[in-house]
Amino acid sequence: MSAREVFLADPAATEGLAAALAASQPARAVVFLEGDLGAGKSSLARAWLRALGVRGAIKSPTYTLVERYPLPAGEAAHLDLYRLAGAAELDFLGLDDLAAEAVLWLVEWPDRGQGGLPAPDLRVRLAVEGAGRRARLEAASPAGQAWLARAPI
């Protein structure tokens, strides 16, 4: 599968990446957001949801584990699985309902839910680099590969 890298010098660059991915995403997409604490996963997710038109508070799902946002074509789900001990705990989150309704999944700490999540279309690996961040985007499905090819980044 293909991959692309981009340096995010500041919050505006993160917002630009999120807007580019939101504008080019397929009708249904699963995105795994990976990286250490403080790498910018939540910031990217928040900017992505804003780019899709979500207004009002965009809450971090650190404690709730799942936050859902209405979109014109369905629903976006932002998951933060950091506090899970393993995929067995996903049963309590109602992901079966979410699978039917969500057109976009933004999943932080997906390794904590391994085996209980839908397969990703795109993996975004974030890392602190100097004063900014480095984002490595990796296609993880044929839909993800087409997405990455057309994304204006």
Side-chain angles (χ1 to χ4, degrees), residues 51-84:
L52 290 172
V54 174
R55 299 292 169 243
I58 297 179
K59 299 174 267 177
S60 171
T62 300
Y63 295 102
T64 58
L65 303 181
V66 180
E67 291 290 340
R68 298 166 80 156
Y69 299 93
L71 299 174
E75 203 171 59
H78 181 195
L79 291 77
D80 183 336
L81 306 181
Y82 181 74
R83 297 188 182 288
L84 290 187

Side-chain angles (χ1 to χ4, degrees), residues 13 19 29 35 50 58 68 71 79 87 90 115 125-126 132 141:
R50 285 273 180 246
I58 297 179
R68 298 166 80 156
L71 299 174
L79 291 77
L90 290 173
R125 299 176 194 267
L126 295 159
S141 73

Side-chain angles (χ1 to χ4, degrees), residues 6-20 44 47 133 153:
V6 61
F7 180 71
L8 307 170
D10 54 28
T14 299
E15 291 168 11
L17 174 62
L44 181 64
R133 307 284 186 270
I153 53 173

Side-chain angles (χ1 to χ4, degrees), residues 109-130:
W109 302 99
D111 55 313
R112 308 274 172 113
Q114 194 168 23
L117 295 169
D121 296 299
L122 187 66
R123 290 179 184 274
V124 180
R125 299 176 194 267
L126 295 159
V128 174
E129 185 174 303

Side-chain angles (χ1 to χ4, degrees), residues 2-6 123-127 134-138:
S2 59
R4 293 169 77 178
E5 284 196 18
V6 61
R123 290 179 184 274
V124 180
R125 299 176 194 267
L126 295 159
R134 168 105 15 222
R136 179 174 172 80
L137 292 81
E138 300 173 357

